[in-house]
Amino acid sequence: SIKWGIRHFNLSTSAQRMNGTYYLLKEADRCNNLSHVYVELYFYYMVSEKNNLDGDIDPIESGVSFNWRNTDYMHFSLNKLQYMTTMTDVEKYPDVFLGFSRYRSHLDDWKYVETLVERKINSEDKKYQYHYEWEDGTGYDEYQPRGRWYSSRVCPGEERIYGQDRSLVEDPMAESSKGYLRKVVSYCQAREIPITLFISPVYELQLISAEHYDNYLNQVREIAEEYDVDIYDFNLARGEYFPIQDIKYFRDVGHLNSAGADLYTEFFYKIMSGDATENQMYFFDTYEQKLAHAEPEVYGIYYRDEALEEEGDSLHRNMFIASNRDEGMEYKIVMIPEDDREQYILQDFSENKTFLVDNDEHGTCMITYRMKAVPDTVQTIEITY
């Protein structure tokens, strides 16, 4: 890092769970002299997945394939073996310890084998070269030098409708996540390595759809207070200091794009190089407080997999409007099907935030909203469904 004058290494991996964070930290410490550790605590992989068929699934169990992608590239060590045994139950160890076992279902799938071989012998794959232009004109993704994943893509309209499979009601953090977070902090403190916890910003639609985000944040803060370490949630940053909540800064609802990353990097440095007490001025105390201070806005719509209802001969999906007001805001919903049917008004101005849509219908949902106390000031958002 030019600004900090020290070398930084990013140990984040795809869909990383807390057991991965712990064992990758130990691996890094085994080979380096660590001066400070920063641990990101994105809620999505800290809580259980809600699944209709299997019930709640622990994040470590649901992330076994993401964990073995880490161990596949680790040098043999006791730390690696310990990591591998935490990924899943004993009956699934063959997939963890024996790479070929994972793909046994493809043994007679010659098309799969042919496609895989073609990709593996491609020079771009060998050189970690990748560049993809999105056909909808929203930008591109590519690998850059030193392992950087770069995306200029701006979140398109069809991703303003979000299928949420996490719920943050009543103590949402999984016990496994809490346990490994404590292990991570204890490990650093036992070795006198300073540690800071933080949460990167995601688009408001994802947090609102998870509902009761402060429940998760309170659990993180309890652990931070238990070990007397700093915690910064950049989702609570005040807009006048960090105006990140604009769709132009997001690749999708859960990831910043390059423009958002540049803005975040500057603010992250400002906070991490500042004084913890003085930093409090840049953040709201709670997520609920932040939403109340924001200008009235609709960020999109969301649904949950279990929210399907029979109506006549078809299934309808229960949709929810993601806005930053629980009351006092009215919504007019106009549906514009993509087939030959004419557009229709599903709901005239009302405070109701839920509505049913035919699960087989596709088109554009146009939501016009206003504050009930100021009926002449309206705004509109269009969402592809």
Side-chain angles (χ1 to χ4, degrees):
S1 170
I2 297 175
K3 287 192 173 184
W4 281 344
I6 56 177
R7 182 185 177 194
H8 285 82
F9 186 76
N10 187 350
L11 270 176
S12 64
T13 57
S14 181
Q16 187 168 301
R17 272 55 172 179
M18 276 309 301
N19 66 324
T21 298
Y22 175 64
Y23 287 104
L24 289 175
L25 167 64
K26 291 178 68 176
E27 191 75 1
D29 188 41
R30 188 168 65 90
C31 307
N32 301 275
N33 181 22
L34 304 183
S35 60
H36 201 117
V37 170
Y38 300 86
V39 179
E40 209 282 334
L41 300 174
Y42 176 37
F43 83 91
Y44 196 79
Y45 297 118
M46 298 287 284
V47 304
S48 297
E49 178 182 345
K50 303 293 181 182
N51 186 294
N52 276 344
L53 299 177
D54 304 316
D56 289 359
I57 305 176
D58 182 272
I60 292 178
E61 180 63 27
S62 66
V64 60
S65 64
F66 294 100
N67 271 319
W68 76 44
R69 291 176 193 178
N70 295 337
T71 54
D72 283 353
Y73 291 93
M74 291 171 66
H75 294 298
F76 181 78
S77 67
L78 178 60
N79 182 55
K80 176 177 178 176
L81 289 176
Q82 291 174 331
Y83 182 9
M84 296 172 86
T85 61
T86 70
M87 295 181 191
T88 188
D89 297 330
V90 174
E91 60 266 23
K92 297 180 183 177
Y93 276 4
D95 285 348
V96 174
F97 287 89
L98 306 172
F100 65 83
S101 175
R102 305 167 196 166
Y103 309 104
R104 56 188 178 275
S105 62
H106 296 292
L107 284 175
D108 59 351
D109 185 350
W110 294 107
K111 183 61 179 177
Y112 173 86
V113 174
E114 179 185 354
T115 302
L116 187 64
V117 170
E118 287 178 354
R119 184 168 64 83
K120 290 295 184 182
I121 63 176
N122 185 288
S123 60
E124 290 186 355
D125 186 79
K126 288 183 177 180
K127 296 177 181 178
Y128 295 97
Q129 294 175 340
Y130 175 82
H131 182 92
Y132 177 78
E133 296 277 351
W134 287 87
E135 295 179 358
D136 56 8
T138 53
Y140 63 89
D141 299 337
E142 69 178 16
Y143 287 131
Q144 291 195 337
R146 304 184 73 174
R148 292 182 63 203
W149 170 259
Y150 186 92
S151 177
S152 69
R153 188 189 192 214
V154 176
C155 185
E158 59 264 27
E159 294 194 14
R160 302 286 284 276
I161 176 172
Y162 186 66
Q164 180 61 268
D165 58 3
R166 301 296 195 270
S167 175
L168 302 181
V169 295
E170 200 173 0
D171 299 330
M173 197 188 306
E175 291 299 320
S176 61
S177 299
K178 288 190 285 188
Y180 275 105
L181 177 54
R182 287 189 167 93
K183 283 187 174 185
V184 166
V185 178
S186 297
Y187 181 90
C188 289
Q189 292 185 337
R191 288 155 183 77
E192 298 184 345
I193 305 170
I195 179 171
T196 301
L197 309 179
F198 71 100
I199 303 174
S200 294
V202 296
Y203 192 56
E204 224 74 91
L205 170 58
Q206 193 181 54
L207 297 185
I208 290 173
S209 63
E211 302 172 358
H212 310 290
Y213 179 69
D214 283 324
N215 287 344
Y216 170 72
L217 181 56
N218 288 338
Q219 287 187 292
V220 174
R221 283 174 168 166
E222 286 175 7
I223 294 176
E225 290 173 5
E226 179 183 337
Y227 291 90
D228 192 25
V229 298
D230 292 331
I231 166 71
Y232 296 103
D233 187 344
F234 288 90
N235 291 296
L236 269 58
R238 294 179 179 271
E240 61 266 34
Y241 302 113
F242 184 46
I244 197 67
Q245 282 302 326
D246 188 315
I247 200 65
K248 69 182 181 182
Y249 292 125
F250 290 87
R251 181 185 183 276
D252 53 44
V253 298
H255 297 87
L256 296 167
N257 58 22
S258 54
D262 288 341
L263 186 65
Y264 180 36
T265 299
E266 291 294 322
F267 190 63
F268 186 88
Y269 170 74
K270 178 184 180 70
I271 296 301
M272 296 305 172
S273 60
D275 177 80
T277 301
E278 295 178 358
N279 282 339
Q280 293 178 8
M281 65 178 286
Y282 300 114
F283 297 88
F284 289 101
D285 293 330
T286 67
Y287 186 63
E288 184 178 355
Q289 184 186 60
K290 176 196 170 182
L291 292 183
H293 278 76
E295 290 294 320
E297 187 170 353
V298 170
Y299 302 97
I301 55 180
Y302 65 97
Y303 62 89
R304 296 184 179 278
D305 284 342
E306 67 268 21
L308 287 175
E309 298 183 14
E310 289 189 20
E311 188 173 280
D313 296 329
S314 60
L315 286 175
H316 283 66
R317 189 175 293 279
N318 207 359
M319 299 290 192
F320 305 84
I321 296 174
S323 74
N324 55 13
R325 294 291 187 275
D326 287 331
E327 57 185 26
M329 184 183 284
E330 296 182 316
Y331 314 91
K332 179 179 180 179
I333 306 171
V334 176
M335 310 302 286
I336 309 173
E338 65 180 14
D339 53 26
D340 295 333
R341 285 182 293 169
E342 294 184 358
Q343 68 180 48
Y344 58 95
I345 298 176
L346 189 62
Q347 171 180 299
D348 208 342
F349 281 109
S350 165
E351 289 190 72
N352 175 54
K353 297 173 71 171
T354 66
F355 58 99
L356 287 173
V357 176
D358 189 325
N359 199 43
D360 295 324
E361 179 181 303
H362 302 281
T364 300
C365 174
M366 187 166 64
I367 301 175
T368 302
Y369 58 98
R370 67 188 184 189
M371 292 304 293
K372 199 171 183 178
V374 194
D376 294 333
T377 303
V378 300
Q379 298 184 71
T380 299
I381 179 174
E382 294 186 2
I383 305 157
T384 305
Y385 68 95

